[in-house]
Amino acid sequence: MLGLRTTIYKVGDINTAKKWYSDAFQSKPYFDKAFYVGFNIAGYELGLQPEEEPTTNKAESVINYWGVEDIEGEFNRFLELGATMHEKPTNVGGALVVASIKDPWGNIIGLIYNPDFKL
């Protein structure tokens, strides 16, 4: 195993989602086609794919957490951009704090503050 490479979010409107994710992750896509939009987020791939049948009713069995320095600030910034709260910032032991939001298409985006994790 080489580690996580790509997280893909399925969206009903890829053009609206491209703008939303550009604002949310403060990054422009490096790959931009109708079938896939790809962002490089600190060396990790965030991908958007259009859904054949758009739905906001998504499975909640897996959460990918994106590392942040200021979890409260980022959590609130995502909410200001139109995300909805999934799980408020919660200390899960030591200095680790996790939170999650749902994007406008119902995808869960996890946020984590973990000062002990090093690449």
Side-chain angles (χ1 to χ4, degrees):
M1 298 297 285
L2 298 174
L4 182 68
R5 294 294 187 260
T6 304
T7 294
I8 294 178
Y9 298 104
K10 303 276 185 156
V11 296
D13 180 339
I14 200 158
N15 288 318
T16 302
K18 175 175 53 177
K19 165 99 174 71
W20 192 88
Y21 273 85
S22 291
D23 292 342
F25 281 80
Q26 301 174 324
S27 179
K28 300 293 180 204
Y30 76 88
F31 187 88
D32 187 354
K33 301 290 182 189
F35 61 89
Y36 185 82
V37 174
F39 297 84
N40 179 337
I41 309 299
Y44 296 92
E45 176 90 358
L46 184 159
L48 303 176
Q49 288 182 328
E51 293 175 301
E52 282 187 32
E53 296 181 30
T55 181
T56 57
N57 186 20
K58 307 278 172 74
E60 295 194 13
S61 61
V62 176
I63 300 176
N64 294 315
Y65 289 93
W66 295 92
V68 297
E69 289 294 328
D70 175 9
I71 197 161
E72 292 282 344
E74 290 299 311
F75 180 78
N76 289 325
R77 191 174 66 75
F78 271 79
L79 295 178
E80 289 169 7
L81 289 169
T84 56
M85 182 175 68
H86 180 254
E87 294 178 337
K88 66 181 181 178
T90 304
N91 182 289
V92 293
L96 275 77
V97 181
V98 298
S100 56
I101 56 92
K102 286 190 175 185
D103 73 9
W105 300 271
N107 296 296
I108 299 171
I109 299 170
L111 305 174
I112 186 168
Y113 171 71
N114 182 353
D116 298 322
F117 181 82
K118 306 289 183 236
L119 289 176

